[in-house]
Every structure is written in structure tokens, then in C-alpha cells.
């Protein structure tokens, strides 16, 4: 902070819930110090973007940049500060770069917003009121299953309510709507199917009161159990330990909200290219609330219709694999999400490789997943093919993606099929 006195700070943050929560905590703290700053929210950090940044300002990266140290090194930045929790790519870190990252010492699982919060709490006790955003970032990054020591401390600073319940969000809204839009978990004959929703609720013994169904947080233990059973019957692949867990409730715009839902709103805004709405939403700027929520609804509807399209689409399938070439029928930003949802659907047995393809500009976004998180290494599989077709690959063993040019569409599918048809013998 000494370094920041009277200097303009340029902040670059990631566009997901954790990144945007980090940004809101930081800029709120800086505003109180009367610091001059600018903020850019990005989907990813590429070399070109780093090269174009101003070099004289104090540069602060949030929730990214640990993997881009080499690119940062090449530019002569006067001062760089990184608050992040991703793997660090460089061995030696030059003097002009300061890094706050648990990967450098105890590898504690904490979100970037948690780190940003702890940093800002050091500046002023007043910043304690942003603890809820640090927890929101933690949930956005799926770190709530095992709450680390640091996160536990942050949770205590916050006024968040923790409650056991069914992990379908928003847990604060009437169940009929919530079930209709449930994509995670995906419930066959219920997701996207109002009749199916009502049937399931009836079967679970739930009736509307004054025309309104209860929300998940209002259910009795008995009702929770009945609904859980109905869901598991429809999708036996869901594990009950993944269906019941801790719900985190926090106040936003003076209303109690489900953290997972807030995170979904932020991600929907960002993925549809509106991260500035997401930012204002988490800053609780009242004009942004409606806009953020309608963006989320549109995104969810698109996702549900994308899922329906994919369910009915013609598929290329073989033993242990299915390829769905959705072409221009699903947005490229949803190809990965849809593949993930399918990988949890009861229609595919464990170890099935699911590949979705969606057009964008003159390219194709390819996403590959393993049903049940077991089976072949899909990253390796895609990497092998794009050696021939050209393209870029990313991801890991059970969830990977690549981008290829549309000219290579048929060649890619042929190669993919050939590779998938070869049995993998495990030694
Ligand atoms: Mn993060």
C-alpha cells in the first residue's frame, strides 16, 4: 500500500464470481483511501493484453496472472502486485513483482476474493463488511465442501447463514420454479418440464399454499427427505452426498439470497459479455439488480433450450462415446456447460466420453467430458488430434476443450471417431 500512495493503480481481474468479488472488495477499500484506480475485467489474460497495459502505473492482478509471470517479466512494469490462488508458472520471481498466493507456501484452499479480503482487512477493520463477498467468491470457485482455516475465519467475520438442505438453487425461491430450471443437478423429466415438476412435487406430498410452493429453506426435514428421494429416483447417478449439503445465505440489496444463485447471476452476466453488470450487481448498485437478474434468466433459458436441442439432436455415437455437433444451434460459451451437464445425466454410463461442438465466428469450440469422471484422458485425446488439425487445447484429464477452424470440421470428427473407437488397454 505504501507503493500506491499518489499513484494510479490499474486493476485487472478475472470475469468469474471469484474475480469480480475480489475486484469489488478491492475497489471499495481503495475508494475509502481516495486512491486513483482503473479496473478491467477479462475472460483470460493473454500475452497481447499484457503487452498493451501501461507500464508506469502500479499494476494489480486479481484472480489471475500466476500463470503469466513469464509474459509479465518480458514487459518492464514498474510495479506489479498479484493476488491469486492459481498455480505459479515461473521459478524465479523478479523484484518488481509481489505475489500473494497460498501456492507459494501452505497451499491452503482459499479463493482470490478471500485473499483480497484478508489483505483489505489489514488496511482497515471497516472492510470487514466485505467478508460476505469473500465467501461468495469461495462458493463461486466450489471451495465450500472443505472449508479451510482461513475461510473459516472469514466466515466468522461475515453475517452469512449456513444451513443444511437440498443443494439446488436458489433455495430461497418457490420450489416449482427452482426445479424447472435445475440444470445442476439435471433431473430427467423435471428440468425444463413444468408438468414433470408438478408431478414430482405431488408425489413428494407437497402442495402449494395460497398458490405458492415452499422454498428449499422452508422445508421440514421430512419434506426434504421426500423430495431428495424423488430426485434420486429420477437420476440414480446423483449421489445423495452431492444433493444434500450446506447452503449459504447472505443479504444482498437487503434481501436474503442463496450464494450459489448470486454466483450463477454473476457468471451468467459475464458469460454473456456483461461483466460490468455483474460488477455493479455485487456493488449493490440498485439500477443493476433487474438487469443482472434478467440477463441470468435469459442465460438459463438459453441453457435449457440448448440442453433440449442436444438431447434431441442427431448424435455420432459408438461404444463409450458420443459426439454432438450442435453447429450454430448452441452458443459456444455454453458448449462446455452442456457437456458437463450431460456427463452427469443418467443416459450415459460411466466412462463415456461426451464431446460437444459449437460454432463461433469461423471456428468451432469443442468440449469433452468423461461421464462419471472416469475413463480416458480427454485432454490427451484432443491434444493428439489437434496435432494434425491445428488448434488450441486446454483443460485437464476429465474436462478439456479445444478450438479448431471450421474448415477442419469433418477431418476433426473423423480423427476423433477413429481415436475413440480404439480400445484403451490399461496396463
Ligand atoms: Mn478464483
Amino acid at each position: 500500500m505504501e507503493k500506491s500512495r499518489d499513484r494510479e493503480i490499474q486493476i485487472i481481474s478475472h470475469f468469474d464470481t471469484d474475480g469480480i468479488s475480489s475486484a469489488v472488495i478491492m475497489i471499495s477499500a481503495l475508494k475509502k483511501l481516495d486512491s486513483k484506480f482503473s479496473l478491467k475485467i477479462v475472460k483470460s489474460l493473454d500475452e497481447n493484453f499484457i503487452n498493451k497495459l501501461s507500464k508506469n502505473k502500479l499494476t494489480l492482478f486479481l484472480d489471475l496472472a500466476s500463470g503469466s509471470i513469464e509474459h509479465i517479466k518480458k514487459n518492464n512494469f514498474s510495479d506489479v502486485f498479484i493476488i491469486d490462488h492459481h498455480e505459479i508458472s515461473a521459478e524465479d520471481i523478479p523484484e518488481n513483482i509481489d505475489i500473494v498466493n497460498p501456492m507459494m507456501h501452505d497451499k491452503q484452499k482459499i479463493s482470490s476474493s478471500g485473499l483480497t479480503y484478508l489483505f483489505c482487512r489489514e488496511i482497515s477493520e471497516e472492510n470487514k463488511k466485505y467478508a460476505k463477498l469473500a465467501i461468495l467468491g469461495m462458493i463461486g470457485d466450489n471451495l465450500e465442501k472443505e472449508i479451510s482455516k482461513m475461510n473459516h475465519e472469514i466466515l466468522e467475520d461475515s453475517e452469512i447463514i449456513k444451513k443444511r438442505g437440498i443443494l439446488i438453487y436458489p433455495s430461497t425461491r418457490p420450489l416449482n420454479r427452482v426445479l424447472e430450471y435445475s440444470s445442476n443437478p439435471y433431473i430427467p423429466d423435471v428440468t425444463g418440464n413444468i408438468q414433470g415438476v408438478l408431478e414430482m412435487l405431488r408425489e413428494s406430498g407437497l402442495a402449494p399454499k395460497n398458490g405458492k410452493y415452499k422454498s428449499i429453506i422452508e422445508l421440514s426435514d421430512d419434506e426434504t427427505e421426500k423430495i431428495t428421494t424423488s430426485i434420486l429416483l429420477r437420476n440414480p447417478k446423483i449421489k445423495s452426498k452431492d444433493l444434500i449439503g450446506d447452503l449459504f445465505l447472505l443479504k444482498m440489496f437487503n434481501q436474503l439470497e442463496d450464494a450459489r444463485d448470486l454466483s450463477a447471476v454473476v457468471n451468467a452476466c459475464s458469460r454473456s459479455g456483461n461483466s460490468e453488470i455483474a460488477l455493479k450487481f455485487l456493488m449493490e448498485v440498485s439500477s443493476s439488480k433487474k438487469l443482472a437478474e434478467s440477463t441470468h434468466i435469459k442465460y438459463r433459458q438459453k441453457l435449457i433450450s440448448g440442453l433440449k436441442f442436444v438431447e434431441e439432436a442427431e448424435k455420432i455415437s459408438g461404444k463409450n462415446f458420443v459426439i454432438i455437433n450442435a453447429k450454430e444451434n448452441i452458443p459456444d460459451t455454453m458448449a462446455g456447460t452442456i457437456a458437463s451437464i450431460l456427463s452427469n445425466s443418467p443416459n450415459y454410463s460411466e466412462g463415456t466420453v461426451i464431446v460437444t461442438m459449437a460454432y463461433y465466428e469461423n471456428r468451432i469450440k469443442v468440449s469433452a467430458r468423461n461421464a462419471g469422471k472416469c475413463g480416458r484422458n480427454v485432454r490427451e485425446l484432443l491434444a493428439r488430434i489437434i496435432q494434425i488439425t491445428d488448434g488450441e487445447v486446454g483443460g485437464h484429464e476429465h474436462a478439456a476443450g479445444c478450438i479448431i477452424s471450421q474448415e477442419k470440421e469433418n477431418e476433426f470428427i473423423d480423427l476423433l471417431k477413429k481415436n475413440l473407437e480404439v480400445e484403451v488397454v490399461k496396463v
Side-chain angles (χ1 to χ4, degrees):
M1 273 301 123
E2 259 325 294
K3 281 182 183 168
S4 79
R5 205 137 286 172
D6 304 323
R7 278 181 68 194
E8 190 172 332
I9 308 170
Q10 60 179 343
I11 306 169
I12 297 98
S13 188
H14 190 216
F15 83 153
D16 70 1
T17 301
D18 187 26
I20 294 182
S21 298
S22 307
V24 174
I25 298 168
M26 185 54 79
I27 62 177
S28 307
L30 289 175
K31 270 185 194 163
K32 284 186 204 134
L33 297 174
D34 273 330
S35 299
K36 261 190 266 161
F37 63 85
S38 63
L39 169 67
K40 283 195 180 92
I41 296 170
V42 296
K43 186 174 177 179
S44 63
L45 202 56
D46 61 47
E47 191 173 0
N48 206 358
F49 177 86
I50 295 172
N51 295 343
K52 280 196 209 140
L53 287 169
S54 152
K55 306 296 175 289
N56 308 320
K57 293 175 186 166
L58 190 146
T59 307
L60 169 59
F61 292 103
L62 300 173
D63 197 34
L64 34 72
S66 292
S68 309
I69 310 259
E70 294 302 335
H71 296 324
I72 295 170
K73 267 195 201 170
K74 277 187 222 151
N75 286 279
N76 280 319
F77 282 99
S78 58
D79 285 295
V80 175
F81 203 89
I82 298 172
I83 302 180
D84 189 18
H85 62 156
H86 295 97
E87 206 78 51
I88 298 170
S89 60
E91 304 257 292
D92 45 285
I93 289 141
E95 264 184 17
N96 64 331
I97 307 180
D98 281 306
I99 306 183
V100 176
N101 188 328
M103 283 302 178
M104 296 173 86
H105 23 272
D106 68 349
K107 303 202 171 176
Q108 219 181 112
K109 294 248 184 289
I110 181 164
S111 57
S112 299
S113 48
L115 297 166
T116 308
Y117 169 75
L118 293 173
F119 182 85
C120 293
R121 194 182 66 180
E122 285 298 305
I123 302 171
S124 161
E125 280 278 309
E126 251 185 80
N127 294 327
K128 267 195 168 174
K129 63 174 180 231
Y130 303 115
K132 65 175 184 185
L133 292 176
I135 297 299
L136 184 61
M138 168 186 95
I139 284 155
D141 273 6
N142 298 314
L143 299 172
E144 78 274 22
K145 289 259 153 73
E146 263 175 78
I147 295 186
S148 64
K149 231 171 82 194
M150 281 193 273
N151 275 334
H152 198 79
E153 192 188 316
I154 301 172
L155 199 56
E156 290 201 328
D157 282 352
S158 76
E159 284 168 357
I160 286 185
I161 301 166
K162 209 171 104 180
K163 196 178 184 303
R164 296 289 288 175
I166 302 173
L167 295 176
I168 296 181
Y169 57 83
S171 58
T172 51
R173 300 271 192 279
L175 258 166
N176 52 330
R177 300 290 291 169
V178 174
L179 291 169
E180 185 190 343
Y181 285 100
S182 175
S183 55
N184 179 24
Y186 177 74
I187 315 168
D189 303 322
V190 171
T191 303
N193 181 342
I194 304 172
Q195 279 314 315
V197 169
L198 297 177
E199 215 167 282
M200 193 180 102
L201 287 169
R202 211 177 307 126
E203 175 194 304
S204 313
L206 258 97
K209 222 182 203 171
N210 304 326
K212 214 175 148 199
Y213 280 98
K214 279 186 177 178
S215 67
I216 285 174
I217 54 170
E218 289 165 342
L219 295 175
S220 68
D221 289 352
D222 187 46
E223 289 166 331
T224 298
E225 211 182 292
K226 280 186 183 143
I227 290 186
T228 309
T229 311
S230 296
I231 295 171
L232 296 177
L233 278 172
R234 282 167 175 77
N235 187 349
K237 270 181 95 184
I238 302 173
K239 298 182 181 97
S240 53
K241 71 163 176 35
D242 295 329
L243 192 57
I244 297 284
D246 291 325
L247 301 164
F248 295 84
L249 306 168
L250 64 142
K251 268 204 172 150
M252 283 292 269
F253 299 97
N254 241 331
Q255 205 177 330
L256 205 59
E257 302 283 5
D258 185 323
R260 296 217 304 173
D261 188 52
L262 294 172
S263 173
V265 172
V266 171
N267 284 322
C269 290
S270 278
R271 288 206 192 119
S272 23
N274 297 301
S275 19
E276 73 295 339
I277 299 177
L279 182 81
K280 285 186 187 151
F281 179 69
L282 291 191
M283 288 170 76
E284 296 182 71
V285 176
S286 41
S287 62
S288 70
K289 190 172 186 270
K290 276 216 169 91
L291 209 51
E293 284 166 354
S294 64
T295 307
H296 181 214
I297 290 170
K298 263 184 237 148
Y299 183 84
R300 277 193 140 180
Q301 280 165 343
K302 259 196 197 160
L303 187 62
I304 298 285
S305 62
L307 270 169
K308 273 197 172 158
F309 172 83
V310 163
E311 258 180 10
E312 287 153 20
E314 210 177 296
K315 302 173 180 72
I316 305 165
S317 38
K319 199 184 168 205
N320 294 328
F321 73 86
V322 55
I323 304 166
I324 302 152
N325 186 2
K327 300 186 188 234
E328 63 285 309
N329 295 296
I330 59 171
D332 66 287
T333 46
M334 274 177 196
T337 311
I338 289 178
S340 293
I341 294 169
L342 293 181
S343 73
N344 293 316
S345 134
N347 301 341
Y348 302 102
S349 58
E350 288 202 355
T352 305
V353 175
I354 295 158
V355 182
T356 57
M357 296 170 66
Y359 286 177
Y360 94 98
E361 291 160 16
N362 53 355
R363 289 180 282 184
I364 302 175
K365 169 88 201 317
V366 181
S367 299
R369 300 287 184 275
N370 278 127
K373 288 206 172 107
C374 64
R376 352 190 0 160
N377 184 328
V378 289
R379 185 184 206 274
E380 251 175 47
L381 175 78
L382 295 179
R384 204 177 318 134
I385 299 166
I386 62 156
Q387 273 181 358
I388 304 165
T389 62
D390 258 0
E392 272 172 70
V393 70
H396 40 97
E397 202 181 337
H398 299 306
C402 68
I403 291 166
I404 57 164
S405 85
Q406 264 178 43
E407 286 160 31
K408 304 280 182 173
E409 183 172 356
N410 293 327
E411 190 188 351
F412 178 85
I413 294 175
D414 282 343
L415 284 165
L416 184 61
K417 257 172 67 187
K418 269 185 203 137
N419 272 278
L420 283 164
E421 273 158 2
V422 178
E423 282 289 340
V424 205
V425 182
K426 275 200 178 152
V427 189

